[in-house]
């Protein structure tokens, strides 16, 4: 059971380039999330999805787009990367909203993105 | 504004010593409270959580946390730290009807031999 898998693990981009981070979960979770982690700032929610075909903005959505075409996958896109988007990105998933109240987010191992 | 504060950026303790990591929150109502641990190069793992009832909650790896409503705090404790506890610890809060789990900035724990 793989849990939450993120690809790629590492990526270097030039300013203005685009890329997509893929998150896949095999736990049949309804909810999926993308966070970014920056030193001294903890994790900040970028976008999230409460089910297939739905997405919503989190705390820091600007410069990112997401899609949830399949229940098991949640894609994070950067259309025109900027140095400020250099960060470690974490995907997470959870059961339904009631289970989110139960608090268990299952995290991937992270994707380190550097924008030059 | 809703916020989660971990006042200590970095804590160093000796192996075998006791540990307390602080967490304070500012929310309109009592949120759900969590502690997560992140080992180097890894994602976050849930240590424990508080929803209601007994204000002292037990978690995995020998950790416990105490919810104090009057202080808006949820401090994490361990009686005797092991070298393998060296990691970064995050306090997090969420409201029941809110999909947005907010994390503190984290406390990095170093364990001295």
């Amino acid at each position: 059971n793989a849990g939450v898998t993120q690809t790629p693990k590492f990526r270097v981009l030039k300013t203005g380039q685009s890329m997509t981070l893929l998150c896949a979960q095999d736990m049949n979770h309804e909810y999926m999330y993308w966070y970014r982690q920056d030193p001294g700032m903890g994790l900040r929610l970028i976008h999230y999805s409460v089910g297939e075909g739905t997405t919503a903005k989190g705390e820091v959505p600007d410069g990112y787009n997401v899609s949830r075409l399949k229940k098991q996958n949640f894609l994070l896109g950067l259309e025109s990367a900027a140095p400020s988007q250099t960060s470690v990105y974490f995907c997470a998933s959870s059961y339904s909203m009631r289970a989110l109240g139960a608090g268990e987010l299952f995290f991937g191992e992270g994707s380190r993105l550097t924008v030059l | 504004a809703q916020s989660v504060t971990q006042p200590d950026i970095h804590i160093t303790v000796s192996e075998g010593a006791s540990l307390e990591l602080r967490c304070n929150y500012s929310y309109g109502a009592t949120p759900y409270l969590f502690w997560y641990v992140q080992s180097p190069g890894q994602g976050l793992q849930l240590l424990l959580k508080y929803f209601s009832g007994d204000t002292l909650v037990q978690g995995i790896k020998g950790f416990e946390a105490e919810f104090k409503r009057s202080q808006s705090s949820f401090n994490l404790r361990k009686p005797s730290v092991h070298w393998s506890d060296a990691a970064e610890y995050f306090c997090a809060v969420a409201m029941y009807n809110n999909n947005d789990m907010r994390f503190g900035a984290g406390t990095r724990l170093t364990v001295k031999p």
Side-chain angles (χ1 to χ4, degrees), chain A residues 2-5 7 11 19 21 28 30 34-35 39 41 51 69-71 73-74 77 83 94-96 99 109:
Chain A
V4 179
T5 303
T7 53
R11 184 73 186 270
M19 76 157 295
L21 296 175
N28 201 34
E30 288 293 328
W34 276 107
Y35 286 89
M41 303 189 75
L69 298 179
K70 294 182 178 180
K71 184 177 183 178
N73 295 336
F74 194 31
S94 72
Y95 294 103
S96 69
E109 295 185 346

Side-chain angles (χ1 to χ4, degrees), chain A residues 5-91:
Chain A
T5 303
Q6 296 180 224
T7 53
K9 297 287 193 294
F10 302 92
R11 184 73 186 270
V12 179
L13 290 177
K14 294 181 180 178
T15 297
Q17 287 185 317
S18 63
M19 76 157 295
T20 299
L21 296 175
L22 170 64
C23 177
Q25 52 94 5
D26 60 5
M27 295 173 283
N28 201 34
H29 286 166
E30 288 293 328
Y31 286 32
M32 297 187 74
Y33 314 82
W34 276 107
Y35 286 89
R36 60 177 289 172
Q37 183 179 31
D38 302 291
M41 303 189 75
L43 278 77
R44 292 180 293 168
L45 183 64
I46 304 171
H47 286 280
Y48 64 95
S49 168
V50 301
E52 182 178 319
T54 73
T55 62
K57 295 180 180 180
E59 185 183 1
V60 288
D62 294 341
Y64 304 95
N65 57 77
V66 288
S67 64
R68 184 99 180 266
L69 298 179
K70 294 182 178 180
K71 184 177 183 178
Q72 64 267 35
N73 295 336
F74 194 31
L75 278 64
L76 177 71
L78 286 71
E79 291 187 347
S80 179
S84 62
Q85 294 177 304
T86 294
S87 188
V88 181
Y89 292 86
F90 285 96
C91 177

Side-chain angles (χ1 to χ4, degrees), chain B residues 31-88:
Chain B
Y32 295 117
L33 299 159
F34 315 92
W35 276 98
Y36 282 81
V37 61
Q38 183 182 31
S39 298
Q42 301 296 313
L44 280 69
Q45 179 186 19
L46 181 68
L47 279 176
L48 48 76
K49 57 194 178 188
Y50 172 79
F51 295 155
S52 63
D54 192 347
T55 56
L56 184 64
V57 295
Q58 303 297 320
I60 62 172
K61 304 184 180 186
F63 285 92
E64 66 179 26
E66 185 173 13
F67 168 59
K68 293 185 177 180
R69 185 187 305 273
S70 61
Q71 300 177 17
S72 297
S73 69
F74 189 56
N75 294 349
L76 182 71
R77 300 195 295 246
K78 186 169 185 179
S80 178
V81 170
H82 188 263
W83 64 266
S84 61
D85 293 324
E88 188 144 21

